[in-house]
Amino acid sequence: MFKRFFSYYKPYTKLFILDFTSAIIAAILELSFPVIVNQVIDKIMPSKDLKLVVLVSLSLLGFYIINTGLQYIVVYFGHKLGVNIETDMREELFGHLQKQPFEYYDNQKTGKLMTRLTTDLFEISELAHHGPEDVFITIMTLTCSFILMFQIHPKLAIITGFLVPFITIAMIFFNKKMTRVNTEIFDNLGEFNAGIEASVSGIRVTQAFSNEDHEKKNFSRLNNLYRQSKLKFYKTMAVSSTFNYLLMRLMNLFALLFGAYFTINGEITNGNFVGFILLSNIFIRPIEKINNMVESYPKGFAGFKRFVEEIDKPIAIHDKENPIELTTINNAIQYDDVSFSYSDGTKVLNKLNLTIEKGEIIAFVGPSGAGKTTICNLLPRFYDVDNGSIKIDDTDIKDISLNSLRTQIGIVQQDVFLFPGSIKENVAYGKLSATDEEIMQAVQLAHLEKVINDMPDGINTIIGERGVKLSGGQKQRLAIARMFLKNPDILILDEATSALDTETEAIIQESLSSLAKGRTTLMIAHRLATIKHATRIIVVDETGISEEGTHDDLMKKQGAYFALYNAQFRE
């Protein structure tokens, strides 16, 4: 774990050396002050040479000025090092999360992932800055100050340092305990953030059902759970700091009491006594720092531990070595004996066989849960098949790079997701390099132009989180415009026109039909009136593909499709 943590210092070796060296020099200069005071009292003051006293004082002032500059370097550049490492870890974690497939997010809470990306990494910055530096300087300062104290009076030095082993044992004990508590705090904070995210996102549902009191109770439960964890941490910290405080004050007391005794008996000079007291204060300072380490280190290590746990989760769907780049699609899509189950064991597809020729418009119909959406989601590898294979142009999609595969596929999903920016930004998401002319062309093809003209800021109108300021139909049209802009070889339309009124749906269907020419299109529809023009209609049920053919052919068979159609258009 330590080796892995220190690997993040590699890009910032120079910054680390600057910070570390400055901190060491500053600590050495601090140690020189008691030695100089000792010499001033014992050797310079008896000679009554005021000029020499002034000269020594000016030298000390020079030391302090240098130390001031070193302190600036340690505080600013040290924290810069910590923030850089924190930022790199967050970038790595975000990149890792971006690569995880749909199934990973099926089992995750958004709030928990937010905690992993934010709170878990906050304390790592402090740990990365102070960790190596504080440990080294603490050991160095304790050792050097003890040696200097030992040179003044060995017996007094041993008496003063007698309590250090007890403080060390206490630090190790409390550090382990607080690491465990901090891990619990992070876990509870993840649940807390997940609860808040769900409550805020679902506020409209909450108010519609008048369940505000229920949400308040749920929030209070999560809030108190987080509170209890933090109180447990601070209780442990309070016991640790008060225990160490008592031991450190006893060290001061021992230095004063026994130092005075040895001075009165003539074993040490007044200068030695004053120098020893100053050195004992320096000796105690790193021990006080240990208290801060006991508070911050467990937080940092608990956060890093959770970071490593997340990073080490394998990416289930990834590119093979030297994958094939798919530039265009020339032939058929083939599903060969495809079987698929979700992680909870739910079986969806069993040995499905299907061939889709280039340019075909395939419509999938059937009851909910039969696997229509799953068939489509397997094509861009949002999920991977358990058995069998899916091929494009006789090439297994697992041999094709994910980026090039998904670039060739345009998707309008049933649950439209829009980013909290402007209409223009959301349309441009289909092709980030698109020109204004290309964006406007896509807008026109999706018949979104009138909607934009009615908006206060036109195409630059901010639509709110998840497009809250747009109607359902407007959201769908924006999503369709985004797909028009992408202009892929394969289209997947998952209830793409489900939120449109009849008149608008007819217009969009006309646009989709023109776009589908020369392209392979997979449609999922419950409204059967929208798929009469399909090249082939495939009826999917629990057993797999039960029927396929054109609308007219299936109506003549008077089978499953005939029953679905009549049920929908009985009136």
Side-chain angles (χ1 to χ4, degrees), residues 329-342:
I329 296 170
N330 299 311
N331 296 308
I333 299 167
Q334 294 171 295
Y335 288 72
D336 295 329
D337 286 332
V338 170
S339 297
F340 176 77
S341 301
Y342 287 106

Side-chain angles (χ1 to χ4, degrees), residues 135-171:
V135 171
F136 184 83
I137 290 173
T138 296
I139 294 169
M140 186 195 77
T141 306
L142 280 170
T143 305
C144 293
S145 57
F146 184 79
I147 290 170
L148 291 171
M149 286 159 58
F150 193 84
Q151 287 176 347
I152 292 172
H153 197 280
K155 198 182 293 184
L156 182 57
I158 291 168
I159 292 169
T160 305
F162 172 73
L163 296 172
V164 170
F166 296 99
I167 293 173
T168 305
I169 292 167
M171 183 193 76

Side-chain angles (χ1 to χ4, degrees), residues 509-533:
Q509 284 294 345
E510 188 180 337
S511 299
L512 289 175
S513 296
S514 63
L515 180 68
K517 286 177 183 176
R519 294 177 176 83
T520 307
T521 305
L522 283 66
M523 299 173 63
I524 300 167
H526 286 113
R527 292 165 68 172
L528 304 185
T530 64
I531 59 167
K532 285 183 180 181
H533 67 289

Side-chain angles (χ1 to χ4, degrees), residues 334-369:
Q334 294 171 295
Y335 288 72
D336 295 329
D337 286 332
V338 170
S339 297
F340 176 77
S341 301
Y342 287 106
S343 57
D344 61 2
T346 304
K347 190 84 172 175
V348 184
L349 301 175
N350 185 34
K351 294 187 176 180
L352 176 85
N353 288 285
L354 175 64
T355 299
I356 302 170
E357 298 295 338
K358 183 184 177 181
E360 272 198 293
I361 299 173
I362 301 296
F364 294 98
V365 300
S368 297

Side-chain angles (χ1 to χ4, degrees), residues 5-26:
F5 182 76
F6 285 117
S7 68
Y8 288 92
Y9 285 80
K10 196 171 181 180
Y12 310 105
T13 305
K14 291 180 181 177
L15 197 58
F16 174 71
I17 292 170
L18 175 66
D19 170 51
F20 198 72
T21 306
S22 299
I24 292 170
I25 295 171

